[in-house]
Amino acid sequence: MSLQGRHILVVEDEPKLAALMHDYLVASGARVDVLGHGDDALPLLRNAPPDLLVLDLMLPGTDGFTICRELRTFSTLPVIMVTARVEEIDRLLGLEIGADDYLCKPFSPRELVARVKALLRRSQEWAGIREESGNGPLALDEERFEARWHGRLLDLTAVEFRLLKALAARPGRVLSRGQLQQQLYNDHRIVSDRTVDSHVKNLRRKLAEADPEADPIRSIYGVGYKYEP
Ligand code: CA
């Protein structure tokens, strides 16, 4: 996969690192903008959103936490967070901040390019969902993080939204708990099967609240789940 035609925004205040990231991403075909000050990020993200954001945590002005948290109120744009603080990772990827992946400093620019490609591939799979489910009962609005069932708004958490997206992207196909975990978290964290099960349970309950007839998620004993509207 080349990054041809992809627009990536890098927010990083260390000039040498920013230049290195810029050069490697450009060499892979991407169009890359670099910002060195946190205050410039949100206006640009609102007015000219890129395809993916690489965001340093510690920045002059608005820090990476605040930028990502604010971004998530209006966009599901893929975000890779860059940090030297390993202890912050859970918080970065959790609901509070909502980054999709992270890189720990120091990292190799090759690793950055690989992560960018992987995350874009994953987002692309998700983007196909809206088209496929265009005439079905389910409508997903990724910009607003909203799911509707027959027009009725479902009150989902970010993880439940991603889970529903992952299942609905492949109607009729069984996805294992492991595959669903990969869709939900990209960070190789150990998440137990029961975590997926409990998210599915909550998702089903919310669908049933919106429409008692709605039961589009089937469990396949010993394997996983599938979406069948
Ligand atoms: Ca920094």
Side-chain angles (χ1 to χ4, degrees):
M1 179 190 179
S2 132
L3 294 177
Q4 204 68 48
R6 299 313 198 108
H7 179 205
I8 295 166
L9 176 63
V10 174
V11 184
E12 168 62 66
D13 60 311
E14 291 170 43
K16 275 186 186 164
L17 180 58
L20 195 64
M21 290 159 92
H22 171 274
D23 292 351
Y24 268 77
L25 290 167
V26 166
S28 302
R31 183 160 66 85
V32 183
D33 286 323
V34 177
L35 291 178
H37 198 284
D39 290 354
D40 300 329
L42 282 164
L44 192 69
L45 288 163
R46 280 185 197 277
N47 297 326
D51 296 311
L52 184 143
L53 170 66
V54 181
L55 180 61
D56 187 27
L57 184 61
M58 304 297 281
L59 292 164
T62 315
D63 67 22
F65 279 131
T66 310
I67 293 168
C68 193
R69 196 189 294 131
E70 180 65 23
L71 174 72
R72 283 294 176 249
T73 65
F74 63 90
S75 172
T76 58
L77 179 78
V79 176
I80 298 178
M81 207 75 141
V82 176
T83 177
R85 290 151 64 176
V86 183
E87 65 276 11
E88 295 286 11
I89 288 163
D90 276 346
R91 214 176 135 216
L92 293 177
L93 297 167
L95 292 176
E96 190 195 347
I97 310 293
D100 296 284
D101 202 358
Y102 67 89
L103 279 166
C104 275
K105 290 181 182 179
F107 56 85
S108 80
R110 282 206 181 90
E111 178 68 10
L112 169 72
V113 171
R115 297 291 192 92
V116 165
K117 287 181 177 177
L119 184 53
L120 281 172
R121 200 177 302 125
R122 199 158 56 111
S123 317
Q124 224 164 15
E125 286 175 14
W126 288 351
I129 296 165
R130 229 177 320 183
E131 289 151 37
E132 283 173 33
S133 63
N135 297 319
L138 180 68
L140 297 171
D141 185 337
E142 289 191 66
E143 294 297 313
R144 294 184 182 155
F145 243 95
E146 278 179 6
R148 288 173 188 275
W149 184 265
H150 286 301
R152 206 169 303 173
L153 187 64
L154 304 173
D155 182 23
L156 304 183
T157 65
V159 172
E160 288 159 6
F161 182 88
R162 287 182 181 185
L163 184 63
L164 183 57
K165 245 182 357 175
L167 284 162
R170 300 163 185 81
R173 219 182 97 191
V174 182
L175 294 178
S176 71
R177 289 180 179 81
Q179 284 171 318
L180 288 170
Q181 278 168 21
Q182 278 176 11
Q183 297 286 327
L184 298 182
Y185 311 96
N186 197 30
D187 62 338
H188 325 292
R189 244 185 318 178
I190 306 299
V191 183
S192 79
D193 286 359
R194 289 187 182 201
T195 309
V196 172
D197 289 344
S198 77
H199 287 309
V200 169
K201 197 176 147 198
N202 291 334
L203 184 54
R204 275 176 153 166
R205 180 175 48 77
K206 289 178 181 181
L207 280 161
E209 276 167 12
D211 174 6
E213 307 277 289
D215 189 18
I217 299 168
R218 310 239 171 274
S219 14
I220 309 300
Y221 183 76
V223 186
Y225 296 96
K226 73 171 168 175
Y227 176 83
E228 225 164 32

